[in-house]
Amino acid sequence: MTRAFRGLDSGQLLLICAAGLVAVAGVAHTAAVGLDHPEIAVGFGALIAVGELARLTMPGNREVAPIGAAAALGYTLLLDLSQHQLRHSALQVVAVIAVGMIAGALPHLAVGRPPRLDAMARRLLTGALLAFAFRPLVDPLYLLTRPPTETWWPALAVMIVLIALSLLVDVLIAALLRAEQVRTAFRVAVRDEINMAFPLGAAVGASGVLLALATHSMDLVALLVFAAPLLVTQVAFRKYAGIRATYLQTVRALSRVTEVGGYVEPGHSRRVSRLAVAVGRELGMAEPELLELEYAALMHDIGQLSLRDPIPGGATVLTDPEQARRIAELGAAVIKQTGVLDRVADLVRRQCDPVASDPPLSSRIIKVANAYDDLVGGSTDRDRAGAALERLRLGAGTAYDPAAIEALARVADRYTAVHRL
């Protein structure tokens, strides 16, 4: 379990502590007063555990558990069953969610795959906030759904509004954590969370509402009916995430060909990639753009494989511009042969274009990051880094993008500061 706490920042620890306190309060209260309709609590808790057991990691290192989250929503929003009103409190909802999540995480712990505690804490707190907002409204909503109206529309409207608010809170919490973790602006993190995580959250919210409404009519049979399609959907998500991870691993392996062949210094491609992505974040690039930037930065020197005689140290910054441009074009031609990385190939091809020709921002970042690493390498010496930056600034506005240089300077200053500690 100690592995799960490594590398956590203060914001993550605060979130985990808050979730822990809420979970303890929920379990203690439920143990004291007893479970309302225990068979229903156990059924939904089991589905939450299955969802946690089948959790997956999506692009951007986001750990999600769609089935567990949908089951938690369904239990929170459940009004009645078999014509009997359910009176489980918000604290009981918290207890069921917490126990289900822990039960689903135990098998992973047993095989040495600890969960992301901050992700679990966020899911628990989001569910708790919705429960504390919704469960006090159960009695009024229950009356609204009885004769003479016999309609679920008032309750459904309240559910949708509260789910939308809880999703907004979840996005803001995730953005706060991500802004600290990857060192990006909060507004950029919010935008990325809306684009990358909000669609899945909306799908989970819709599934939770449907599960609550179906359970109202079908009793606990609805859990079995809904579990199957949710599992199929999660398998599809897992395959998608696996393909993305394999794709990146393949690109990283290809990027090392130039190092193994002695065309560039060991670690050059990986360092340029990390610098480029950090600069991209500093300049407010979105996650899809950062992924393309990472691919292009990893393979920016692959054109050197066509050289009969390697450049000393692989430092293209020391070659004449025409040779550097030819290497970039040859590399782009190789990448384009994949048939699926045309955008990445264009970024590699235009990395040597002058600023006046308005190359893509990613190409300008790669050019600056590559030149900096050619001059500094893996050194953390501040004087060497400062000299490299001054050399780049001499070409600002013509050969190098001034904004990319200044963003690189901030990134490099943080990097050297960390390594001095």
Side-chain angles (χ1 to χ4, degrees):
M1 178 64 76
T2 55
R3 287 174 52 192
F5 284 95
R6 292 175 185 171
L8 296 177
D9 57 39
S10 57
Q12 291 171 304
L13 289 173
L14 181 61
L15 184 73
I16 293 168
C17 290
L21 290 173
V22 171
V24 169
V27 172
H29 176 270
T30 304
V33 303
L35 280 172
D36 179 73
H37 290 78
E39 70 285 357
I40 301 172
V42 171
F44 275 93
L47 188 55
I48 293 170
V50 169
E52 287 296 324
L53 183 63
R55 70 173 190 266
L56 65 152
T57 302
M58 296 295 287
N61 198 31
R62 294 178 174 87
E63 185 183 276
V64 296
I67 294 177
L73 277 175
Y75 187 59
T76 302
L77 302 175
L78 197 57
L79 291 178
D80 60 10
L81 191 73
S82 299
Q83 305 305 314
H84 296 290
Q85 184 180 6
L86 300 179
R87 297 185 179 276
H88 55 283
S89 65
L91 286 172
Q92 179 171 316
V93 171
V94 171
V96 170
I97 295 175
V99 172
M101 294 176 74
I102 293 171
L106 288 178
H108 288 285
L109 284 173
V111 296
R113 292 197 303 264
R116 288 271 307 276
L117 292 180
D118 59 328
M120 288 184 67
R122 212 180 81 226
R123 291 196 292 273
L124 177 60
L125 283 179
T126 302
L129 287 173
L130 180 61
F132 285 119
F134 181 80
R135 295 313 300 177
L137 300 176
V138 166
D139 287 337
L141 289 175
Y142 186 79
L143 292 175
L144 285 173
T145 59
R146 300 302 91 206
T149 59
E150 293 188 349
T151 176
W152 273 84
W153 290 114
L156 184 60
V158 174
M159 292 178 186
I160 292 173
V161 170
L162 291 180
I163 287 175
L165 291 175
S166 67
L167 282 176
L168 178 60
V169 171
D170 185 62
V171 164
L172 293 176
I173 293 174
L176 281 170
L177 295 176
R178 193 162 188 82
E180 178 65 24
Q181 291 165 11
V182 302
R183 292 185 177 275
T184 189
F186 176 66
R187 59 176 179 79
V188 175
V190 170
R191 181 190 63 194
D192 287 338
E193 290 301 320
I194 291 175
N195 291 335
M196 303 294 290
F198 191 82
L200 178 60
V204 168
S207 299
V209 172
L210 289 175
L211 185 58
L213 297 180
T215 306
H216 163 73
S217 302
M218 302 169 59
D219 292 353
L220 291 180
V221 176
L223 294 179
L224 298 176
V225 172
F226 270 75
L230 286 173
L231 281 171
V232 171
T233 303
Q234 185 145 332
V235 168
F237 273 117
R238 185 178 294 278
K239 287 184 177 180
Y240 168 73
I243 290 171
R244 289 284 297 266
T246 302
Y247 214 62
L248 182 56
Q249 291 170 2
T250 302
V251 170
R252 285 174 176 168
L254 287 173
S255 72
R256 296 192 66 243
V257 173
T258 52
E259 299 175 16
V260 174
Y263 288 89
V264 298
E265 292 294 322
H268 171 72
S269 298
R270 181 63 65 87
R271 290 194 301 270
V272 171
S273 172
R274 288 175 177 171
L275 278 174
V277 171
V279 171
R281 286 200 178 100
E282 194 77 16
L283 294 176
M285 293 179 67
E287 278 195 40
E289 297 173 314
L290 289 174
L291 184 62
E292 288 184 342
L293 174 58
E294 184 175 7
Y295 285 167
L298 283 168
M299 297 189 290
H300 75 282
D301 264 338
I302 202 168
Q304 292 203 41
L305 295 173
S306 63
L307 299 179
R308 183 171 301 174
D309 298 315
I311 299 171
T316 53
V317 71
L318 302 177
T319 65
D320 63 89
E322 284 304 319
Q323 185 180 24
R325 186 173 292 107
R326 186 168 66 89
I327 291 171
E329 290 175 350
L330 290 170
V334 171
I335 296 170
K336 202 160 188 176
Q337 292 300 313
T338 62
V340 293
L341 294 174
D342 289 354
R343 172 65 179 168
V344 173
D346 185 61
L347 296 179
V348 171
R349 179 178 62 84
R350 300 198 63 186
Q351 65 177 302
C352 293
D353 289 0
V355 175
S357 65
D358 194 26
L361 176 59
S362 293
S363 298
R364 286 177 268 160
I365 291 173
I366 292 171
K367 186 174 185 179
V368 169
N370 174 65
Y372 178 84
D373 193 77
D374 280 345
L375 297 170
V376 177
S379 173
T380 58
D381 181 77
R382 288 185 66 86
D383 292 336
R384 187 172 178 180
L389 288 169
E390 287 305 315
R391 176 167 177 168
L392 295 181
R393 287 187 176 109
L394 292 175
T398 54
Y400 302 109
D401 181 82
I405 294 174
E406 297 310 313
L408 175 64
R410 295 191 293 271
V411 169
D413 186 62
R414 289 199 299 263
Y415 179 78
T416 53
V418 168
H419 282 264
R420 287 201 316 271
L421 298 177

